[in-house]
C-alpha cells in the first residue's frame, strides 16, 4: 500500500506530457531536413523523369524545356511555402509597427543598401525572388526596401561574381556588381517616393496587417502591447497565411514557368546574336526588350553572354541583355501581377527598363577604359 501511495503521489510520469515547444522543434527539424533534401535533388529528379520515364533526350530543345519547367516550378513553389510560412510564423509574434518605425525616417536610408546587399547574397532568379518579396511584404517591411531586394537579388550573387571575373575581368565585374546594387537602392527609393504600396493587391495589403489587429503597417498603431501568442497560435496563423497566399499564386507560378521554359528551349540564340551585335545606339534598348522573355538566372545567362561577346556584341549591350533577362523576366511579371496592381507593375517594369538601358549605354561608353 505504501509503495502504491508513494507512486500515485508523484503524479503522471514526465513522459506523459511532452513539452509542446520541444515537439514543435523536433517536427520542424524533421520537415526542414526533408525539405532541404528534396530541394537539393530537384534538378536530378527532373532530369531522371525526363530521360528515364518520359524517354526524352534532355539535350534536345523539348527535353531542356521539360527539365526547366519541372525544376523551376517545384523549386519556386517550395520556396513560396517555406518563406511565407517562416516569415508569417515570426510575424505572428512581432510588433510590426516597431519594425516599420525602425526602417522609417533616418534609419530607412540604411534599409535600402541593407536590402540590396541581402539580395546580392541570396542566389535566386527573378521568379524565385517573388516568394521572398511576398514574405517581406506581409511582414510589414516598407515596400521600397522590399523592392530594393527584389531588384538586386536576381542580378547579383557570389557564383555570378566568380564566373564574371573569369569572363570579363575584375574591373567590369565590380562595375556590374555596383550597378546591380545601385539599381536596387535607386529603385527602392523611387518606389517609396511615389508611395507605391497603395498599388499592391488588396489581399497583400490585408496580409500586411498585424497578426492581432486590424490596422495596416502604413497607419500608426496604438501603443498598447499586443497579446503574446503561443507557438501553437503562431503555427496556426502561419499555416492559414501560407494556404491563403499559395492558393492565389500557384496557378500563376505554373503558367509563368511554362512560358519561360518554352522560351528557354526554343528562342533561337543565333537571331539574338545577328540582330543585336552591330553596336548601334538602339541596340541597348533593343537588347533590354529582347531579354525580358528570355527568363534565366544570372549564372545561366553567363554562357550566353560569353558567346555574344565572342560574336562582337559590345559589353554594355551584352550586360543590358543579361540584366533584363535575369531581372525583368516576363514570367516574373506574370507572377507579380497577383500581388501588384497594373499601375505598380507598369512602374516596376518601366523603372527596370530605364535602369538597364542607361547602364548599358554607360558601359558601352567606358568599355575601352575598363578593359
Amino acid at each position: 500500500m505504501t509503495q502504491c501511495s508513494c507512486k500515485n503521489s508523484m503524479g503522471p510520469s514526465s513522459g506523459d506530457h511532452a513539452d509542446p515547444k520541444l515537439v514543435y522543434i523536433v517536427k520542424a527539424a524533421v520537415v526542414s531536413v526533408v525539405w532541404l533534401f528534396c530541394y537539393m535533388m530537384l534538378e536530378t529528379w527532373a532530369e531522371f523523369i525526363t530521360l528515364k520515364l518520359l524517354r526524352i533526350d534532355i539535350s534536345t530543345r523539348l527535353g531542356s524545356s521539360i527539365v526547366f519547367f519541372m525544376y523551376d516550378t517545384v523549386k519556386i513553389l517550395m520556396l513560396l511555402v517555406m518563406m511565407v510560412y517562416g516569415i508569417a510564423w515570426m510575424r505572428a509574434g512581432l510588433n510590426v509597427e516597431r519594425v516599420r518605425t525602425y526602417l522609417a525616417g533616418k534609419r530607412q536610408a540604411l534599409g535600402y543598401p541593407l536590402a540590396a546587399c541581402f539580395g546580392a547574397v541570396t542566389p535566386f532568379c527573378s521568379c524565385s525572388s517573388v516568394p521572398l518579396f511576398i514574405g517581406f511584404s506581409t511582414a510589414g517591411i516598407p515596400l521600397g526596401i522590399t523592392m530594393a531586394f527584389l531588384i538586386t537579388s536576381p542580378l547579383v550573387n557570389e557564383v555570378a561574381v566568380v564566373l564574371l571575373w573569369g569572363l570579363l575581368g575584375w574591373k567590369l565585374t565590380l562595375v556590374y556588381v555596383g550597378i546591380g546594387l545601385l539599381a536596387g537602392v535607386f529603385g527602392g527609393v523611387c518606389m517609396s517616393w511615389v508611395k507605391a504600396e497603395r498599388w499592391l493587391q488588396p489581399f497583400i495589403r490585408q496580409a500586411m496587417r498585424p497578426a492581432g489587429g486590424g490596422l495596416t503597417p502604413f497607419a500608426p498603431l496604438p501603443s498598447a502591447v499586443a497579446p503574446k501568442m503561443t507557438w501553437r497560435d503562431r503555427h496556426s496563423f502561419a499555416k492559414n497565411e501560407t494556404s491563403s497566399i499559395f492558393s492565389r499564386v500557384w496557378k500563376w507560378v505554373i503558367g509563368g514557368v511554362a512560358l519561360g521554359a518554352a522560351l528557354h528551349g526554343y528562342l533561337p540564340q543565333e537571331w539574338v546574336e545577328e540582330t543585336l551585335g552591330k553596336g548601334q545606339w538602339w541596340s541597348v534598348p533593343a537588347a533590354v526588350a529582347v531579354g525580358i522573355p528570355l527568363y534565366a538566372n544570372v549564372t545561366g545567362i553567363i554562357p550566353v553572354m560569353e558567346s555574344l561577346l565572342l560574336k562582337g556584341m559590345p559589353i554594355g549591350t551584352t550586360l543590358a541583355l543579361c540584366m533584363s533577362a535575369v531581372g525583368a523576366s516576363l514570367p516574373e511579371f506574370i507572377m507579380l501581377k497577383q500581388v501588384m496592381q497594373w499601375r505598380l507593375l507598369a512602374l516596376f517594369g518601366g523603372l527596370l527598363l530605364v535602369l538597364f538601358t542607361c547602364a548599358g549605354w554607360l558601359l558601352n561608353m567606358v568599355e575601352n577604359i575598363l578593359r
Side-chain angles (χ1 to χ4, degrees):
M1 290 290 295
T2 304
Q3 183 177 3
C4 181
S5 176
C6 293
K7 184 176 181 180
N8 290 339
S9 66
M10 294 174 63
S13 63
S14 59
D16 291 341
H17 299 285
D19 185 353
K21 289 186 178 181
L22 179 61
V23 172
Y24 181 88
I25 291 173
V26 171
K27 289 182 178 179
V30 172
V31 171
S32 298
V33 170
V34 173
W35 185 96
L36 182 60
F37 173 77
C38 293
Y39 188 85
M40 294 174 64
M41 294 297 294
L42 284 179
E43 188 171 8
T44 301
W45 289 341
E47 293 177 351
F48 176 81
I49 292 172
T50 304
L51 188 61
K52 300 297 184 181
L53 300 184
L54 300 179
R55 299 186 180 280
I56 299 175
D57 187 353
I58 61 176
S59 63
T60 64
R61 291 182 175 181
L62 177 61
S64 174
S65 296
I66 292 175
V67 171
F68 187 96
F69 173 77
M70 288 192 293
Y71 171 68
D72 261 46
T73 299
V74 179
K75 178 187 72 173
I76 292 170
L77 291 177
M78 288 181 66
L79 283 170
L80 180 68
V81 171
M82 185 267 291
M83 289 302 304
V84 173
Y85 178 89
I87 293 180
W89 189 91
M90 292 185 290
R91 183 168 70 91
L94 185 67
N95 188 328
V96 178
E97 174 64 11
R98 182 176 298 175
V99 175
R100 187 191 69 84
T101 302
Y102 178 81
L103 294 174
K106 295 181 179 179
R107 291 194 178 108
Q108 193 169 0
L110 182 61
Y112 298 116
L114 285 177
C117 290
F118 180 67
V121 298
T122 51
F124 296 125
C125 66
S126 57
C127 288
S128 299
S129 300
V130 174
L132 284 87
F133 169 81
I134 296 174
F136 292 162
S137 296
T138 56
I141 296 175
L143 181 64
I145 292 177
T146 306
M147 280 293 189
F149 164 82
L150 182 65
I151 294 172
T152 305
S153 181
L155 294 178
V156 183
N157 66 55
E158 64 277 9
V159 177
V161 169
V162 173
L163 295 177
L164 284 172
W165 197 296
L167 176 62
L168 303 177
W170 68 270
K171 292 181 181 178
L172 284 171
T173 300
L174 291 180
V175 169
Y176 175 83
V177 172
I179 289 175
L181 294 174
L182 288 175
V185 172
F186 182 78
V189 171
C190 288
M191 290 295 177
S192 293
W193 183 62
V194 301
K195 295 180 171 54
E197 61 271 2
R198 55 191 163 149
W199 297 323
L200 289 168
Q201 293 287 6
F203 86 94
I204 284 291
R205 289 183 60 85
Q206 178 68 27
M208 294 176 77
R209 298 171 187 265
L215 296 175
T216 67
F218 306 116
L221 288 176
S223 58
V225 178
K228 188 173 181 179
M229 301 182 72
T230 66
W231 282 35
R232 179 174 295 179
D233 294 334
R234 288 191 179 194
H235 170 70
S236 178
F237 174 80
K239 181 181 177 182
N240 292 335
E241 187 95 337
T242 303
S243 176
S244 175
I245 293 178
F246 186 90
S247 65
R248 292 175 180 268
V249 174
W250 71 269
K251 294 175 289 187
W252 297 92
V253 170
I254 293 176
V257 176
L259 175 60
L263 295 170
H264 174 79
Y266 289 95
L267 186 67
Q269 182 177 324
E270 295 78 10
W271 177 84
V272 178
E273 295 173 351
E274 293 174 2
T275 305
L276 302 176
K278 307 301 182 181
Q280 300 91 333
W281 70 267
W282 52 263
S283 64
V284 173
V288 171
V290 168
I292 293 175
L294 287 181
Y295 181 41
N297 59 38
V298 67
T299 53
I301 202 68
I302 287 176
V304 178
M305 288 176 53
E306 183 175 11
S307 65
L308 294 174
L309 291 171
L310 291 174
K311 292 289 183 178
M313 182 180 285
I315 183 65
T317 309
T318 305
L319 284 176
L321 173 65
C322 166
M323 289 186 287
S324 177
V326 303
S329 66
L330 186 59
E332 177 193 19
F333 291 151
I334 292 175
M335 283 183 270
L336 285 176
K337 176 60 182 70
Q338 293 307 291
V339 296
M340 296 180 181
Q341 297 179 26
W342 280 113
R343 224 181 296 186
L344 178 54
L345 195 64
L347 176 63
F348 175 63
L351 181 64
L352 289 182
L353 297 184
V354 170
L355 287 173
F356 298 157
T357 299
C358 291
W361 281 335
L362 177 63
L363 285 169
N364 280 343
M365 292 173 58
V366 300
E367 179 178 1
N368 293 332
I369 299 175
L370 295 174
R371 278 193 176 276

